[in-house]
Amino acid sequence: MAREDAADEDEEEVRQRKDEFLNFRRNLDGMRAKQEGIESNADKLKSQGNQFFQLGLYVQASMMYSEALDLQPESTVLLNNRAMAYLKQGMCEEALADADRSLELDTSKENIKAFWRRAQALLDLGLHEQAETAANAGIAVQANNTHLSRVRRKAREAIALQRLCGVDWVGKMENGVEKRYSFSKEGEMAMTVVGHKLKATFDLSVECTPQSMVVKMQPAWPPESHPILP
């Protein structure tokens, strides 16, 4: 027991020293930033991260942003930058965590990128309803934001497509003959009339809500030979 207690005390002492050193680095970097003409280490790391990002080196970019965040843990700019670097790597959950933290710090128009990052992360995670809600929250702060509008449109189309596929839609022609429509997520559709199937592709456009959608049929090419229907 005595050895275990001593080990616990040693680990706690190491943690305290690390925290003290990190606070010292943060204070020193803050002092450098306040002095005119002296770039803080956090700013240097951010610049390096931006350069890596522009080169498509997203892993290195996120590492630089992480080091900068050690010095400025409440920087929404760094959180948003790292979130985008994570999104480029397919690390959606990590991006969502950074966006959420950024929004905890600032929900104003100046931090609109955090709304975008959050909505995009939810969309990439396949959480389409939540992505639409997140995009709406950002649009409420800054109307006509093109990035948020695009995410919302994609989320709504995904919701509508999910509702559209997997079931047969039944209707009737003018002469009373039943027709059935089936849709696939790959953009293919088929209309079946009196046992004959007509294949086509479709484009889905969601204007306002998933309940208001337009399906545009495009005949399959080359056209197949079909009998004349009654």
Side-chain angles (χ1 to χ4, degrees):
M1 288 294 295
R3 289 183 178 179
E4 292 180 0
D5 292 341
D8 291 340
E9 291 178 0
D10 290 341
E11 290 180 2
E12 180 63 27
E13 185 177 352
V14 170
R15 281 195 294 268
Q16 289 180 356
R17 289 180 178 177
K18 287 183 177 179
D19 290 341
E20 290 174 358
F21 180 65
L22 184 57
N23 288 331
F24 169 76
R25 289 178 60 203
R26 289 173 179 171
N27 292 333
L28 180 62
D29 203 50
M31 292 173 60
R32 288 173 57 87
K34 291 179 181 179
Q35 295 185 31
E36 186 175 355
I38 299 180
E39 186 180 27
S40 69
N41 289 329
D43 288 337
K44 290 180 180 178
L45 290 166
K46 184 186 74 172
S47 297
Q48 292 173 6
N50 291 345
Q51 291 173 7
F52 280 128
F53 189 92
Q54 292 172 2
L55 292 172
L57 302 174
Y58 304 120
V59 174
Q60 292 85 342
S62 60
M63 291 174 62
M64 292 298 102
Y65 296 141
S66 294
E67 289 192 33
L69 278 164
D70 283 342
L71 300 175
Q72 294 183 4
E74 295 188 352
S75 169
T76 57
V77 172
L78 289 171
L79 286 166
N80 294 338
N81 285 5
R82 188 171 68 174
M84 179 54 78
Y86 281 152
L87 285 172
K88 292 292 186 179
Q89 298 173 66
M91 301 171 64
C92 305
E93 293 181 355
E94 290 81 356
L96 180 60
D98 275 356
D100 284 342
R101 175 55 181 156
S102 182
L103 288 171
E104 288 177 3
L105 296 168
D106 184 6
T107 57
S108 70
K109 183 178 179 180
E110 284 67 30
N111 196 29
I112 195 65
K113 286 184 178 180
F115 289 94
W116 173 26
R117 307 291 196 263
R118 185 173 195 277
Q120 185 65 56
L122 290 167
L123 180 67
D124 292 349
L125 286 168
L127 302 174
H128 304 129
E129 290 84 358
Q130 294 183 42
E132 181 187 5
T133 300
N136 283 333
I139 291 172
V141 174
Q142 185 182 67
N144 300 322
N145 182 285
T146 56
H147 299 296
L148 287 167
S149 296
R150 179 184 57 81
V151 172
R152 182 174 66 176
R153 176 176 55 80
K154 287 184 174 294
R156 287 177 171 176
E157 288 180 356
I159 295 169
L161 189 61
Q162 186 176 9
R163 295 175 180 175
L164 190 64
C165 301
V167 296
D168 285 344
W169 296 77
V170 182
K172 287 188 177 182
M173 302 176 68
E174 292 182 357
N175 57 7
V177 175
E178 182 182 87
K179 56 182 178 180
R180 289 179 173 268
Y181 295 96
S182 60
F183 301 86
S184 74
K185 293 182 179 180
E186 290 72 29
E188 298 177 350
M189 67 174 294
M191 181 176 70
T192 303
V193 182
V194 291
H196 298 287
K197 183 176 290 187
L198 307 176
K199 294 183 179 180
T201 59
F202 72 94
D203 292 325
L204 181 65
S205 175
V206 179
E207 299 299 332
C208 298
T209 67
Q211 288 74 30
S212 175
M213 56 187 176
V214 177
V215 178
K216 297 180 180 179
M217 292 181 59
Q218 299 174 352
W221 189 262
E224 299 180 5
S225 176
H226 299 292
I228 299 176
L229 300 176

